[in-house]
Amino acid sequence: MNKLGRITLAILVVCAALWFGTVELQKSQGYTKNNTLTLYNWGDYIDPALIKKFEKQTGYHVSVETFDSNEAMYTKIKQGGTAYDLAVPSEYMIEKMRKAHLLKPIDHRRLTGYQNIGKDFLNQSFDLGNKYSLPYFWGTLGIIYNDQLVKKPLTHWSDLWSPDYRGQIMVVDSARDMMAVGLIENSQSVNSTNPAVLKAAKDKLDQMAPNVKAIVADEIKMYMVQNEASVAVTWSGEAAEMLDNNPHLHYVIPEEGSNLWFDNLVIPKTAKHEKAAYAFLNFMLEPKNAAQNAEYIGYSTPNIPAKALLPAATRNNPGYYPSQKVIDRLQVYSDLSPTAVGRYNDLFLEFKMQH
């Protein structure tokens, strides 16, 4: 055996030992594959303390795997070979998974605390009657600004086109969200598939290009906290984390309306441990647990009794818990055809090429 072969064998032996050790540890704690719940979630999207509490309270072991995009999650579940008991897709992806027959119906008779979910977050177009999903978190797309670096608060999407902000705006690297800004500014639906309407939205974004400092992802939080930019387009939950670290930052939902997004819990068709899945759903429906999770994550909870347990400064903040009047102006993304998705991506790429 050559040197490379010996190294490869050694790595395999170490990996096998680690796997065996993990299995034996779980067995020693009373965990087996029959009482293990596998959760497929976004990264850092649940309070680890709640996982430990659930394990201690129910006897189930929770194995958490993470994904970084709805599309990656969809592909892995569709390809099969996985046995996730719960996953956390967003609204348009729930619709796509439902159409692809990748989800098990949720038996509402097995739920306790379903009545805690606010009516505004149920019976949405992507899952009428919540036959396949249970609300987990929700939020909006909006504007965050630094009161030390701007002359007056921003309240409209149109403010982003002001020459006052030349080279000062950070925007999220998301085709659907940034195209939505252009669409809303043109008084169009965020779900439009009309090529002319989409082209006009991209042209509108092009007019904003001189004001755009950078198109970024997670780095947007660091830049805003460190006063590297005066304005940004971002999501409410991301904004919450920024506000916690810089008292001069403020998050607003533009008066013209915006996107209302949902992340819901679903049971994939390949789930092996339904009893554990329902135990977890019921655990997360408990107001105390939902409130603890919302405080840890920073996004808005759809659990009304849980919201009442949050600090007054949080539950009364219109950026995170907007009034019904504002909610009525928000739009939910629909699942679009591959052709339409490709058109959104291509147009946004053209916009990005200016930077």
Side-chain angles (χ1 to χ4, degrees):
M1 182 182 295
N2 60 30
K3 184 177 181 180
L4 178 60
R6 290 195 297 272
I7 292 174
T8 303
L9 178 60
I11 292 173
L12 291 174
V13 169
V14 170
C15 291
L18 289 172
W19 176 84
F20 180 76
T22 300
V23 171
E24 289 302 307
L25 177 61
Q26 291 180 359
K27 284 183 179 178
S28 70
Q29 295 173 331
Y31 299 138
T32 68
K33 63 182 180 181
N34 292 323
N35 67 346
T36 294
L37 170 76
T38 303
L39 172 65
Y40 198 26
N41 200 1
W42 299 85
D44 196 26
Y45 208 32
I46 187 169
D47 184 350
L50 283 173
I51 294 290
K52 293 180 180 178
K53 180 181 179 181
F54 174 77
E55 291 179 330
K56 183 176 181 180
Q57 188 171 303
T58 65
Y60 290 112
H61 170 65
V62 180
S63 174
V64 180
E65 293 189 31
T66 62
F67 56 86
D68 59 8
S69 73
N70 277 291
E71 288 68 29
M73 178 273 306
Y74 176 85
T75 299
K76 194 165 185 181
I77 289 179
K78 186 176 182 180
Q79 286 176 343
T82 60
Y84 301 120
D85 300 305
L86 289 169
V88 192
S90 301
E91 67 294 310
Y92 72 94
M93 190 54 68
I94 294 169
E95 183 178 1
K96 184 173 183 176
M97 295 176 78
R98 176 177 57 80
K99 291 176 180 176
H101 306 290
L102 297 178
L103 303 177
K104 289 185 177 182
I106 289 181
D107 185 351
H108 288 211
R109 295 170 299 179
R110 299 174 69 176
L111 296 176
T112 56
Y114 182 72
Q115 70 278 4
N116 292 335
I117 303 298
K119 62 180 179 61
D120 287 325
F121 315 111
L122 297 172
N123 201 36
Q124 294 291 323
S125 58
F126 59 87
D127 183 21
L128 294 175
N130 289 86
K131 295 178 181 178
Y132 296 93
S133 68
L134 189 67
Y136 182 63
F137 279 120
W138 65 278
T140 57
L141 178 73
I143 298 172
I144 188 168
Y145 66 89
N146 188 315
D147 62 24
Q148 288 186 312
L149 303 176
V150 303
K151 295 178 180 178
K152 60 181 181 178
L154 287 78
T155 57
H156 299 274
W157 287 118
S158 59
D159 292 336
L160 299 177
W161 278 262
S162 170
D164 291 342
Y165 307 119
R166 188 175 184 88
Q168 296 184 46
I169 300 175
M170 297 278 183
V171 302
V172 290
D173 188 3
S174 169
R176 194 74 190 268
D177 291 304
M178 288 312 300
M179 285 294 291
V181 173
L183 288 164
I184 294 171
E185 183 61 15
N186 284 345
S187 301
Q188 300 291 336
S189 166
V190 298
N191 296 306
S192 176
T193 58
N194 184 312
V197 169
L198 296 178
K199 176 63 165 54
K202 198 277 291 187
D203 290 344
K204 190 69 178 180
L205 291 180
D206 287 343
Q207 296 169 25
M208 190 217 298
N211 290 359
V212 177
K213 182 173 184 176
I215 301 172
V216 291
D218 287 344
E219 314 94 284
I220 202 168
K221 290 184 284 189
M222 176 188 70
Y223 287 129
M224 294 304 294
V225 168
Q226 296 180 357
N227 302 320
E228 295 290 334
S230 57
V231 180
V233 175
T234 190
W235 302 283
S236 55
E238 299 290 283
E241 185 175 339
M242 298 182 220
L243 268 60
D244 285 342
N245 292 289
N246 188 329
H248 295 287
L249 298 178
H250 306 269
Y251 177 78
V252 295
I253 303 170
E255 294 181 10
E256 299 83 3
S258 186
N259 165 236
L260 172 64
W261 59 259
F262 298 88
D263 285 338
N264 284 17
L265 287 153
V266 300
I267 303 176
K269 205 82 170 180
T270 52
K272 302 295 184 183
H273 309 109
E274 280 194 36
K275 187 175 180 180
Y278 279 98
F280 189 83
L281 292 177
N282 289 329
F283 176 82
M284 294 309 301
L285 281 168
E286 294 179 22
K288 186 176 180 180
N289 296 333
Q292 179 178 330
N293 206 28
E295 284 202 72
Y296 176 83
I297 300 299
Y299 284 118
S300 304
T301 178
N303 191 307
I304 303 304
K307 176 187 171 184
L309 298 176
L310 296 175
T314 300
R315 65 175 185 268
N316 295 328
N317 189 322
Y320 306 110
Y321 293 97
S323 67
Q324 187 63 51
K325 182 179 179 180
V326 173
I327 290 177
D328 289 342
R329 292 199 298 267
L330 303 178
Q331 301 181 55
V332 178
Y333 292 145
S334 297
D335 177 40
L336 302 179
S337 70
T339 299
V341 171
R343 185 168 288 119
Y344 271 74
N345 291 338
D346 290 344
L347 289 169
F348 184 59
L349 179 59
E350 291 180 24
F351 169 70
K352 287 175 66 175
M353 288 174 67
Q354 300 184 53
H355 301 279

